[in-house]
Amino acid sequence: MKLQRKNRVRALAVGALAVSGALALTACGSDNTSGGSGGGAGSAKAANIKCDGKGKLLASGSSAQKNAMDVWVQNYAGACQGTEINYQPTGSGAGVTTFLQGQTAFAGSDSPLKPEEITKSKTLCKGGQAIDLPMVGGPIAVGYNVPGVDSLVLDAPTLAKIFDSQISNWNDPAIKKLNPGAKLPDLKIQAFHRSDDSGTTDNFTKYLKAASGGAWKHEPGKKWEGTGGQAASGSAGVSSQVKQTSGAISYFELSYATAGKIPTVKVATGAKAPVEATVDNASTAIAAAKPAGQGNDLALKLDYATKAEGAYPITLVTNEIVCDKGNKADTLPATKSFLTYVAGKDGQDALKALGYAPLPTEIADKVRKTVATLS
């Protein structure tokens, strides 16, 4: 349909924006439900956004959700006036640090809070603590730039060796074995990783550790520990390097691959067929995630070594980090209003065209109920 195609084009255009800098837009300020029309790429229904709070709402963190956040803020701004929402995609590690220093209303993180971060948060969250609210999921695509190769299959052991400098050429026997019909060139592999502390790196290396059968020797984490390779900042940085560098490979959210028209690896998991990085395949994996948090913390535990049919194993779930109690009084109303929209049907419906996986219904319901109790 024409309107849907138009919205999809607009959404992908938003996704192509550079990560550097913050998106600051005028947003919600009325105590009543707005009747205005949303102008965002996700076709938000403005009547369904309840606008609370006034002033400036600062947030930062995950660059993985940057493209989603652009659309959410744009749609929210189309419905509401009076509050300036400013989200800076500084990376998950920097976002959590800034939040714990009391500088932002919430943070975005692709990794759940660590026990020591929860302990530290009790100083900030008077009478409470920081919690994880899952908000957006999706596949971490492995994008590549290999001339003449339009389809590529890799498995966890081979990816581990590529990103640890143990496989250095595209016509390596291990890659040939997985791609018997491909014309693999005699070309050096240029593996790029994130230079910043990144939840995407954390999830990618958790996959390598869990699924590679011991080929990945390093401990997972937000900081890159692999041997060799080249570094770039943010998902936009590594995806740009892949786009412009012959022989390159890296990991980044599917939205960046979609916007940059970068081909992505199909992952051999042990299922009947290699699994493509798609929203639906990531949703299959995320739906099987187990609860990992306690109380109001809704953190999820993903199965990175899944062999389920059609389940894409390299996934992440971005959490919004807030205090369950002790949030700042001047930003709490707008924070609750914005996060309620984001976790609602309209906010989640905006995601799929961008290459993200909407939350399973039962998880989204829990998130909205938890947001309503924030104080």
Side-chain angles (χ1 to χ4, degrees):
M1 290 180 285
K2 292 183 179 180
L3 179 58
Q4 290 177 330
R5 286 197 297 268
K6 181 178 180 182
N7 285 336
R8 179 177 174 82
V9 170
R10 293 176 66 189
L12 293 177
V14 171
L17 294 173
V19 164
S20 60
L23 176 67
L25 292 172
T26 301
C28 190
S30 168
D31 288 336
N32 299 316
T33 300
S34 171
S37 60
S43 298
K45 297 176 182 177
N48 292 337
I49 300 178
K50 186 177 185 300
C51 303
D52 291 321
K54 295 180 181 293
K56 181 176 289 188
L57 193 92
L58 299 178
S60 66
S62 165
S63 66
Q65 70 170 356
K66 191 266 182 185
N67 296 334
M69 191 63 71
D70 284 351
V71 171
W72 286 333
V73 173
Q74 184 180 354
N75 288 341
Y76 194 70
C80 310
Q81 297 179 352
T83 297
E84 182 183 284
I85 298 180
N86 188 315
Y87 181 81
Q88 298 186 34
T90 55
S92 298
V96 172
T97 296
T98 302
F99 173 76
L100 293 176
Q101 292 172 344
Q103 298 180 32
T104 52
F106 66 89
S109 177
D110 308 319
S111 301
L113 290 162
K114 297 178 180 178
E116 60 267 29
E117 291 171 335
I118 293 176
T119 298
K120 186 176 181 180
S121 75
K122 294 179 180 179
T123 301
L124 170 71
C125 307
K126 304 299 183 184
Q129 66 178 48
I131 58 173
D132 298 281
L133 298 176
M135 205 62 76
V136 54
I140 301 174
V142 180
Y144 66 95
N145 181 346
V146 183
V149 179
D150 298 324
S151 179
L152 183 67
V153 175
L154 296 173
D155 59 13
T158 306
L159 281 166
K161 292 173 183 177
I162 286 172
F163 281 93
D164 207 26
S165 299
Q166 297 177 50
I167 292 177
S168 58
N169 201 289
W170 280 110
N171 64 357
D172 187 275
I175 302 177
K176 283 184 175 181
K177 185 177 179 179
L178 291 164
N179 299 273
K183 295 181 179 179
L184 295 165
D186 182 6
L187 177 67
K188 182 180 179 181
I189 295 175
Q190 307 282 351
F192 286 89
H193 57 265
R194 291 278 291 271
S195 60
D196 51 318
D197 285 0
S198 160
T200 308
T201 294
D202 189 22
N203 284 275
F204 182 61
T205 54
K206 283 178 179 175
Y207 159 74
L208 294 179
K209 188 71 172 181
S212 68
W216 187 254
K217 306 297 184 183
H218 313 281
E219 287 304 311
K222 294 178 182 177
K223 182 178 178 62
W224 183 257
E225 299 290 349
T227 303
Q230 302 175 64
S233 179
S235 295
V238 290
S239 60
S240 294
Q241 290 295 330
V242 171
K243 180 125 179 118
Q244 68 190 22
T245 306
S246 180
I249 187 170
S250 190
Y251 56 93
F252 38 82
E253 295 68 44
L254 181 61
S255 60
Y256 290 88
T258 302
K261 297 181 179 179
I262 299 170
T264 61
V265 167
K266 296 181 181 70
V267 178
T269 64
K272 292 179 181 178
V275 186
E276 188 176 355
T278 68
V279 169
D280 289 339
N281 291 343
S283 294
T284 298
I286 293 170
K290 304 298 183 183
Q294 297 181 351
N296 288 328
D297 192 301
L298 302 181
L300 299 173
K301 181 177 178 60
L302 298 167
D303 180 7
Y304 300 98
T306 180
K307 296 181 181 180
E309 298 298 326
Y312 184 76
I314 320 176
T315 58
L316 61 74
V317 173
T318 301
N319 303 288
E320 311 310 332
I321 309 298
V322 293
C323 295
D324 58 357
K325 298 179 181 179
N327 291 280
K328 294 180 180 179
D330 57 340
T331 58
L332 178 61
T335 298
K336 293 176 69 172
S337 171
F338 180 67
L339 295 182
T340 297
Y341 154 63
V342 167
K345 184 177 186 300
D346 294 328
Q348 292 294 302
D349 283 352
L351 294 175
K352 196 167 183 179
L354 294 169
Y356 296 101
L359 294 173
T361 301
E362 61 275 16
I363 296 176
D365 288 345
K366 289 180 181 179
V367 171
R368 289 193 300 275
K369 289 177 182 178
T370 302
V371 170
T373 67
L374 300 181
S375 62

